[in-house]
Amino acid sequence: MKKILLTLLCLSVMGCSKPSEPEKTVDVLLIGGGIMSASLGTYLNELEPDWSIDVYERMDKVAEESSNAWNNAGTGHSAFCELNYTSEAADGSMDISKAVGVNEQFEISKQFWAYQVEQKVLNNPTSFINNVPHMSFVWGDKNVEFLKKRHAALQHSSLFRGMEYSEDHAQIQKWLHTSHEVRDIVRNADNTWTVVVADLANKGVETSVKAKFVFIGAGGGALKLLQKSGIP
């Protein structure tokens, strides 16, 4: 019985098979041709220029999976809008230590990229990094109070000074640059659709639009509209 069990373990664990003699020896082997391997390889090349580094990627191009913009938001995790990087204690105080640590790491990354630009390794920084406005938007008294306390706590760190907070609807609308909001969608008897659109720049005046076909690509707001459509 023990022999059978041992055999099964050897079949399921790769370490049981004796590796063949290596045909090549390198100092560092990086698996995956995405941003993580590229960043680590670049760091190592700066720190240890004499080291040999191999990168292995199964795709025919690099950065085509998780590092691809289609599969990843591509935003730098600087802790400005990631609410989970701050936590509220039982006494109501706000712990910002994780947010500060993450932001400091991101600042180091920016310093390294700037150095790479100076060294002509990166020719056009705007091809891979740009400033993009971000906003944390919440609703409900509890969530609004959390965001307000989070903003106040982060102001104690120089890394986050300049962040703005507002509960004024007009100001929030300016930040969001909203123009139109779809408030209702109804399927007609002839299988066309009637969509109710509000002009947010004109005091929310509503207009009905009839369409043969409607595509709902509204991000987080899509589910509510799909439910209203009545499509099973």
Side-chain angles (χ1 to χ4, degrees):
M1 183 67 179
K2 290 183 178 179
K3 186 176 181 180
I4 295 175
L5 181 60
L6 181 60
T7 302
L8 290 174
L9 286 172
C10 285
L11 289 173
S12 61
V13 180
M14 294 179 62
C16 289
S17 59
K18 185 179 180 181
S20 58
E21 290 296 322
E23 300 176 358
K24 184 180 182 180
T25 300
V26 296
D27 292 303
V28 179
L29 189 150
L30 304 175
I31 302 174
I35 189 171
M36 298 303 294
S37 289
S39 298
L40 179 57
T42 305
Y43 274 119
L44 291 174
N45 189 54
E46 289 286 343
L47 297 172
E48 299 290 347
D50 296 329
W51 281 12
S52 56
I53 303 174
D54 273 13
V55 181
Y56 292 92
E57 167 60 50
R58 68 174 181 170
M59 307 287 284
D60 58 352
K61 295 180 181 179
V62 298
E64 284 296 296
E65 296 185 281
S66 296
S67 298
N68 189 294
W70 284 104
N71 305 322
N72 194 311
T75 55
H77 286 261
S78 52
F80 282 99
C81 293
E82 291 87 1
L83 302 185
N84 58 308
Y85 289 160
T86 47
S87 58
E88 186 175 6
D91 62 358
S93 61
M94 194 68 63
D95 181 6
I96 65 170
S97 58
K98 185 175 182 180
V100 171
V102 170
N103 192 283
E104 288 174 342
Q105 292 174 8
F106 190 66
E107 288 298 316
I108 293 174
S109 296
K110 290 195 293 184
Q111 291 173 17
F112 180 69
W113 294 328
Y115 170 76
Q116 293 293 300
V117 172
E118 291 177 356
Q119 298 300 310
K120 308 299 182 182
V121 175
L122 299 173
N123 297 320
N124 181 18
T126 58
S127 66
F128 74 95
I129 184 170
N130 293 276
N131 285 326
V132 179
H134 275 65
M135 173 185 286
S136 295
F137 181 82
V138 300
W139 55 89
D141 293 341
K142 184 177 180 180
N143 293 330
V144 170
E145 182 63 22
F146 173 85
L147 187 62
K148 185 176 182 179
K149 291 169 65 174
R150 179 182 191 270
H151 174 264
L154 288 173
Q155 295 308 294
H156 294 292
S157 170
S158 59
L159 294 168
F160 296 93
R161 286 175 193 156
M163 290 179 64
E164 297 181 77
Y165 174 87
S166 179
E167 296 178 24
D168 180 70
H169 290 194
Q171 179 60 61
I172 294 173
Q173 185 171 323
K174 288 181 181 179
W175 287 339
L176 290 173
H177 302 291
T178 53
S179 57
H180 293 86
E181 178 184 59
V182 173
R183 293 183 173 172
D184 200 6
I185 178 171
V186 178
R187 193 170 197 168
N188 303 315
D190 60 355
N191 284 328
T192 60
W193 299 90
T194 296
V195 179
V196 178
V197 182
D199 185 352
L200 301 179
N202 187 25
K203 299 180 180 180
V205 174
E206 295 184 349
T207 303
S208 294
V209 181
K210 186 176 181 180
K212 292 181 180 179
F213 303 98
V214 175
F215 170 73
I216 302 177
L223 179 58
K224 188 175 181 180
L225 292 173
L226 286 169
Q227 291 172 332
K228 286 188 174 186
S229 72
I231 298 175

